[in-house]
Amino acid sequence: MENVHLAVEEDDLYLGYNDYNPTFDSEELENDVGFQQAVRTSHGRRPPMTAKFPGTAIGGRPLVSSFGSRVPMASSMGRPMTGAVQDGSARPMTAVRAAGYSSSLMRGSTFDPLGQSKGPAPPLEAKNEDTAEEKIKILEKKVNDLIEESCMAQSIGALQLALEKAKEAGRKERALIRQREASGNTEHINLDLTYSGEVIKQGSNMTTMAESISTQLHSQYEQRKAVLLNLANQYANNEMYPEALNSYHVIVKNKMFTNAGRLKVNMANIYFKQKNYPKAIKFYRMALDQISNTHKELRIKIMQNIGVVFVRLGQYSDAITSFEHIMAESPNIKTGFNLILCYYAIGDRERMKKAFQKLISVPLGIDDEDKYIPASDDPSSNMVIEAIKNDKLHQMERDLKVLAEKYIMTAAKLIAPAIETSFASGFDWCVDMVKCSQYVELANDLEINKAITYLRQKDFNQAVETLKTFEKKDSRVKSAAATNLSFLYFLEKDYDQADRYADLAMNADRYNPAALINKGNTVFVKKDYEKAAEFYKEALRNDSSCTEALYNLGLSYKRMNRLEEGLDCFLKLHSILRNSAEVMYQLAHLYEQLGDPQQAIEWLMQVIGVTPTDPHVLAKLGKLHDDEGDKSQAFQYYSESFRYFPSNIDVIEWLGAYYIETQFCEKAIQYFERATLIQPNFVKWQLIVASCYRRSGNYQKALETYKEIHRRFPENVECLRFLVRLSTDMGLKEVQEYATKLKKAEKMKEIREQRVKSGRENSARGRREGSTGSAAIISTSVLTSPKRPDVTENAKAEPQPEPKQFSPLLDSDSGRSGRSSSSSKGERLSAKMRSLPGSNEPYEASNPKELDASYVDPLGPQMDRPKTGAKKPADDDDFADEDLGDDLLPE
């Protein structure tokens, strides 16, 4: 143990680090009664401290010195020592006490750095909304909300709702002004409310207005600008231009408004829409004067508008001045194109050339497309390139490039015939200029457009020669030229050449949908619909938005009688082309073939909505309604079709038959007379016209019509029968003449029929004998000849078509039924027919027979008249032999 030495107790090295002057302890100030009382006094004096015993603070806390001794200490200002530790532990020395740490934690104290053990915080004081200031703030918020709702409604296209919200904001703003005036708080102006409408309207073009805020605070009228500006904008969006102009005038009249020039641009735009071009120019120039030169882009746009207005007025020289200034200061594609148009309007060739050169030299600010080509095998960099290849910025660049190419192509096609002596030389000059510019790839497209222009000028040979020069070009241009050549030969119905160039276009570019469509068309005309459908499907796989391929595919399915698949194709096409009359008509036809006439009628009604004057669609609607038994609707559509196209024989025949069926023969005459004008050599219509005259009781006109028919068609048997009947009934002297001609015409008809019949029998007999002879060589057991063909149906060979037989029944004559004709007249007719002298013509039969003067009315039998007013003659016979009683005699 002698080698063991006990360690000497040394002072703690870290002693005193937690000790600090209690003067700086501010955590317990809220509980210090003396300190709180001193704070509430006017001079901040603290009443004298009362201690129970020395060394104890208020509340019984001992005062601790910096060295831990309990002695009373006072601050230099007489402030008591507060914040002593309640459990008597030594106070830390540091100026800022550690968060919630104390040496007393070692003795079981609770660790509470956030002071949660003191209970919840007292509730917030409720806002008093009855004060005038709070009411003003609530109204301001309502106005702001209404302006925002108005702008949001405008952004989604609800213009009427936006206007209503703007008007409501105006009413709330007027109530706000009255509230401020009542409270006397007119100097307070909400700047957000003042300029919110201006910020919404101008967007990114707004410049800072901080320098003018101080001056605008003195005007109560400024608070109405936001509401008025939004209201004016909504009036303009709803095309309520006078109201919008009034609202803009109210704002602009205030001289304190420093951005009035911008609003004058809006007013000029309204005058432009109203076609009040002089006032539009006036306000554009006023806006230009009030906008500083620092806003260069805005001034350029205003000058461009001024040039456009001058073009509308036909003042091309003034427009050229504006456009030339723009092209010198800040050239752009649209202004360059407008400048070319103005030079073309005044016919200045040299300046057109210079303007075209300026147009193709305008910088677009677009990077080269090579930056989107992967330059390494690094997958991360390739993923970045793929990500930015289709971003919004690249899409905007593509749209700008497409627009520039469109303007250049249009300008070249416009000025090519004007800048040189011929169209071809002018186009060649444009091609040479484009080849030396940044649009080198447009040169080939311009040459193809040159060929298309030849096509529009009906110069097919030059077009073909121009397109054939592309056969040795690169694949894209070769495919485009071959596609155009294939289409050109297809229009000329040279299907072999069309097929050849379609193959050439496909070989150059298999993913060209136009080439595949042309190939499918050449197969379609050869009626190989299955193969054509395959080409159309391949074109759709390459370009799903190719409407031509989808339309032709539907037609192929329709020809193959695959109606449901064709219906699907046209329904898809209708979702793309909503207003295509051809697509809707195909849908109607397919539904008709599928046996759904109601759906067919619905689609045809949509076709009429697009093309209301199409006579064939109207006639189709009439036919469908007629098939459904709706005669009134059918008559309406047939009448409309006749009104737009009065030469459709089917429509004329239906309308004439409709009036005959409804017993209005006089109205039917005008339709059948038009049919005779359309088909003058068709005797059917003239016979129907004569029959209509006869049915309407105009026998003299009917007789004259029959005579005219007989003059033009002397061998028509039906006309002669009508003449004999009418002449007999009317007691005319020509009856004998017409009867003789009728007999001769019937004989001639019989001879022709016999000749045709005998000729066919001879030919049939020759065929039978040949077949019998050949059969006898093979086998001699054949005893009967083959059955003779029936030639009775084919024996009729009239030079003129016979009138249509509506009914085999006899028609009434002279307003009386044929069965009710008097027997005496029939006997006279038979006697006259028998007393006709015989003819010695060689074609007469040896045995004379009675002439058949009967006829069949082409209009069919007439409807029986009502007999309600007729008196029965049998009634007199029933009462003739009866004796009347005294009770039945008059008094």
Side-chain angles (χ1 to χ4, degrees), residues 468-729:
K468 284 183 177 180
T469 58
F470 291 95
E471 292 186 5
K472 296 182 180 180
K473 298 280 186 178
D474 61 323
S475 60
R476 185 185 67 86
V477 180
K478 184 193 297 184
S479 178
T483 301
N484 289 330
L485 281 171
S486 176
F487 179 70
L488 179 60
Y489 282 120
F490 186 84
L491 293 179
E492 293 181 347
K493 297 184 179 180
D494 189 353
Y495 301 125
D496 295 333
Q497 288 289 340
D499 186 67
R500 172 176 170 271
Y501 280 101
D503 290 333
L504 182 62
M506 290 169 55
N507 294 333
D509 184 7
R510 185 70 184 187
Y511 297 99
N512 185 358
L516 292 167
I517 292 172
N518 287 342
K519 179 63 177 178
N521 292 344
T522 58
V523 178
F524 186 91
V525 296
K526 297 176 183 177
K527 299 183 179 180
D528 190 355
Y529 305 120
E530 288 283 353
K531 193 173 181 180
E534 293 299 326
F535 284 111
Y536 298 142
K537 289 178 183 177
E538 186 176 355
L540 285 172
R541 285 193 294 270
N542 294 336
D543 183 8
S544 59
S545 63
C546 186
T547 55
E548 294 87 353
L550 192 56
Y551 188 90
N552 293 347
L553 181 61
L555 288 182
S556 301
Y557 284 139
K558 187 177 175 182
R559 293 294 179 89
M560 291 186 288
N561 203 26
R562 293 158 63 176
L563 303 180
E564 293 291 343
E565 297 178 53
L567 190 64
D568 291 338
C569 290
F570 285 112
L571 286 174
K572 292 178 183 177
L573 193 59
H574 177 67
S575 63
I576 302 173
L577 305 174
R578 286 289 182 181
N579 296 324
S580 176
E582 294 85 356
V583 175
M584 290 186 283
Y585 184 83
Q586 292 293 340
L587 285 169
H589 193 220
L590 283 169
Y591 275 116
E592 183 185 4
Q593 290 181 329
L594 289 170
D596 193 349
Q598 293 300 325
Q599 282 289 339
I601 290 173
E602 289 294 330
W603 283 106
L604 286 177
M605 291 297 295
Q606 295 190 35
V607 177
I608 291 300
V610 177
T611 56
T613 60
D614 192 325
H616 300 289
V617 177
L618 291 167
K620 189 69 175 178
L621 271 171
K623 180 180 179 301
L624 288 174
H625 281 292
D626 188 25
D627 295 340
E628 291 295 302
D630 192 349
K631 293 287 185 181
S632 60
Q633 284 290 337
F635 173 73
Q636 177 183 351
Y637 288 117
Y638 273 122
S639 300
E640 288 293 312
S641 176
F642 177 79
R643 186 163 68 92
Y644 291 119
F645 183 57
S647 300
N648 192 334
I649 289 294
D650 295 332
V651 174
I652 291 172
E653 184 177 5
W654 192 93
L655 289 171
Y658 175 80
Y659 280 117
I660 290 172
E661 184 180 352
T662 54
Q663 299 295 313
F664 290 100
C665 297
E666 298 86 352
K667 292 186 178 180
I669 291 173
Q670 60 178 338
Y671 293 101
F672 290 117
E673 284 181 343
R674 184 174 291 274
T676 60
L677 295 176
I678 298 171
Q679 295 179 345
N681 296 326
F682 199 39
V683 72
K684 166 186 173 180
W685 310 121
Q686 302 181 34
L687 288 171
I688 294 176
V689 170
S691 183
C692 288
Y693 280 124
R694 187 170 50 82
R695 281 198 173 199
S696 60
N698 194 348
Y699 299 107
Q700 186 62 36
K701 188 67 176 177
L703 182 63
E704 293 176 359
T705 306
Y706 282 125
K707 287 181 179 180
E708 180 63 24
I709 297 172
H710 176 64
R711 187 184 64 80
R712 296 187 59 192
F713 306 98
E715 296 181 356
N716 188 271
V717 177
E718 202 69 27
C719 177
L720 287 170
R721 289 177 181 171
F722 282 119
L723 282 171
V724 171
R725 183 63 180 270
L726 277 177
S727 300
T728 303
D729 291 345

Side-chain angles (χ1 to χ4, degrees), residues 205-251:
N205 292 331
M206 273 292 297
T207 57
T208 177
M209 291 181 284
E211 61 273 8
S212 62
I213 289 177
S214 59
T215 58
Q216 294 169 357
L217 285 173
H218 300 286
S219 175
Q220 181 67 29
Y221 177 74
E222 293 291 335
Q223 297 186 5
R224 301 195 61 193
K225 288 181 182 177
V227 178
L228 285 175
L229 181 57
N230 182 58
L231 183 60
N233 293 336
Q234 302 309 328
Y235 276 136
N237 293 332
N238 285 272
E239 299 182 358
M240 301 171 67
Y241 299 131
E243 293 84 352
L245 289 173
N246 291 335
S247 301
Y248 283 129
H249 276 298
V250 171
I251 302 173

Side-chain angles (χ1 to χ4, degrees), residues 118-303:
K118 299 175 184 178
L124 296 175
E125 184 178 356
K127 185 182 293 186
N128 188 6
E129 297 183 357
D130 294 334
T131 63
E133 184 177 352
E134 289 299 326
K135 290 181 179 180
I136 290 173
K137 289 183 179 179
I138 292 172
L139 281 176
E140 286 180 354
K141 186 177 184 302
K142 287 182 179 179
V143 173
N144 275 325
D145 292 341
L146 286 171
I147 292 176
E148 292 178 2
E149 291 175 6
S150 176
C151 295
M152 291 298 295
Q154 176 191 350
S155 66
I156 63 175
L159 302 180
Q160 188 63 33
L161 179 61
L163 180 60
E164 293 297 329
K165 294 290 184 182
K167 290 180 178 179
E168 182 66 22
R171 289 191 288 268
K172 293 290 184 184
E173 195 268 342
R174 288 191 291 272
L176 175 61
I177 292 177
R178 290 193 296 269
Q179 183 72 23
R180 282 175 176 166
E181 292 175 352
S183 63
N185 192 14
T186 58
E187 70 279 0
H188 177 71
I189 296 175
N190 191 335
L191 298 181
D192 293 335
L193 183 63
T194 303
Y195 293 106
S196 60
E198 178 67 18
V199 172
I200 290 168
K201 174 65 181 174
Q202 300 295 341
S204 60
N205 292 331
M206 273 292 297
T207 57
T208 177
M209 291 181 284
E211 61 273 8
S212 62
I213 289 177
S214 59
T215 58
Q216 294 169 357
L217 285 173
H218 300 286
S219 175
Q220 181 67 29
Y221 177 74
E222 293 291 335
Q223 297 186 5
R224 301 195 61 193
K225 288 181 182 177
V227 178
L228 285 175
L229 181 57
N230 182 58
L231 183 60
N233 293 336
Q234 302 309 328
Y235 276 136
N237 293 332
N238 285 272
E239 299 182 358
M240 301 171 67
Y241 299 131
E243 293 84 352
L245 289 173
N246 291 335
S247 301
Y248 283 129
H249 276 298
V250 171
I251 302 173
V252 172
K253 279 191 301 186
N254 187 4
K255 302 300 181 183
M256 300 291 291
F257 187 52
T258 58
N259 292 282
R262 299 171 185 261
L263 296 187
K264 288 181 179 177
V265 173
N266 294 355
M267 298 171 70
N269 291 338
I270 293 177
Y271 284 124
F272 181 82
K273 292 178 181 178
Q274 292 179 331
K275 298 183 179 181
N276 190 351
Y277 301 127
K279 272 200 171 183
I281 292 177
K282 174 184 175 182
F283 275 85
Y284 278 134
R285 286 177 170 171
M286 291 170 62
L288 196 64
D289 294 337
Q290 294 181 7
I291 294 176
S292 63
N293 293 328
T294 57
H295 302 90
K296 182 179 178 181
E297 185 178 354
L298 183 58
R299 290 177 61 87
I300 289 296
K301 290 182 178 180
I302 294 175
M303 291 191 67

